[in-house]
Amino acid sequence: MMDLWLAPWRASLALTASTLEMMLTAQKSLAGVQGVPEFQPMDEARMREAFHSAADANLRRWGDTADAINNLPDWYRDLSRVPGGVMTDWFDAARRGPQD
């Protein structure tokens, strides 16, 4: 049960970490451009490094999302497995009350 309560906190922490990592990668990539008066495009090696850093951060965040989904209780996942008509009929019956 504690994992269920900690999952949103872990997800927000992971999002903050990925944002920081992306900002640091962008700053490193642009550090050379700021000191030079004329624009110089990124070379292939730096572009590849920035792309790999972004891809790695993205995969880690998807892993964190998968862990959060796996930590959900079984009853929560069971609701997504029932046919849509069952939930709609149940909700309609609860809202409308008994039919005369």
Side-chain angles (χ1 to χ4, degrees), residues 40-51:
Q40 295 177 350
M42 257 174 80
D43 64 341
E44 186 178 339
R46 284 178 40 198
M47 182 71 82
R48 185 181 299 116
E49 179 186 340
F51 177 78

Side-chain angles (χ1 to χ4, degrees), residues 56-99:
D56 289 343
N58 187 27
L59 285 177
R60 281 194 300 276
R61 299 304 83 77
W62 277 112
D64 294 340
T65 303
D67 290 342
I69 291 172
N70 284 335
N71 287 330
L72 291 173
D74 289 335
W75 64 265
Y76 190 83
R77 284 185 288 214
D78 289 341
L79 292 176
S80 66
R81 293 186 190 120
V82 298
V86 172
M87 294 302 288
T88 304
D89 293 342
W90 173 74
F91 182 77
D92 287 344
R95 296 292 290 165
R96 293 186 184 143
Q99 297 287 333

Side-chain angles (χ1 to χ4, degrees), residues 18-40:
S18 93
T19 304
L20 178 62
E21 187 175 350
M22 296 296 286
M23 296 281 289
L24 289 174
T25 302
Q27 284 179 349
K28 286 179 186 176
S29 299
L30 297 174
V33 176
Q34 291 177 354
V36 179
E38 59 196 42
F39 177 74
Q40 295 177 350

